Amino acid sequence: MDVTGFDFSGFTNLKTLDLSSVRGLIATQFNAIPEDVKASIETLNLSDVDVTGFDFSGFTNLKALGLEAILGLIADQFNAIPNKASIETLYLEDVDVTGFDFSGFTRLEILDLTIVKGLIADQFNAISNKASIKILSLTSVDVTGFDF
């Protein structure tokens, strides 16, 4: 689906925003989503989207975040995600996670790191409250030095 020019401003009670595999979504359009709409969203799925320049700072109420097979996500963007402690589900399948800080995710129940690139032991070991994780996928990941 092509969402070029789509206006998100009328969706003031939106709980789930699934933009997976959309085409035509650019940073200025995504970043223009009104702050009240961003704050209402609990589930955000951007799988298979180029998120270059996307600003995640207004998404303060996320419980689930789907970022599988995305392009353009850098550590600064990921590390700036607010209120990581509220996120229970995180999908990062097939993403380069070099420099990502996982220490703020304290309520994770589902963590998908299938075939991620750049994950080192220090990043994984920084995940606090691993006891809350019910589903963990590390398929095709080198887990040398990981503390389970």
Side-chain angles (χ1 to χ4, degrees), residues 22-62:
V22 299
R23 300 294 171 247
L25 184 63
I26 58 173
T28 53
Q29 184 182 16
F30 181 82
N31 297 342
I33 297 173
E35 292 301 311
D36 60 333
V37 175
K38 290 179 183 179
S40 72
I41 295 173
E42 296 178 357
T43 301
L44 178 62
N45 188 353
L46 294 169
S47 299
D48 192 31
V49 171
D50 184 346
V51 298
T52 301
F54 284 23
D55 178 7
F56 296 100
S57 64
F59 294 91
T60 56
N61 200 30
L62 289 177

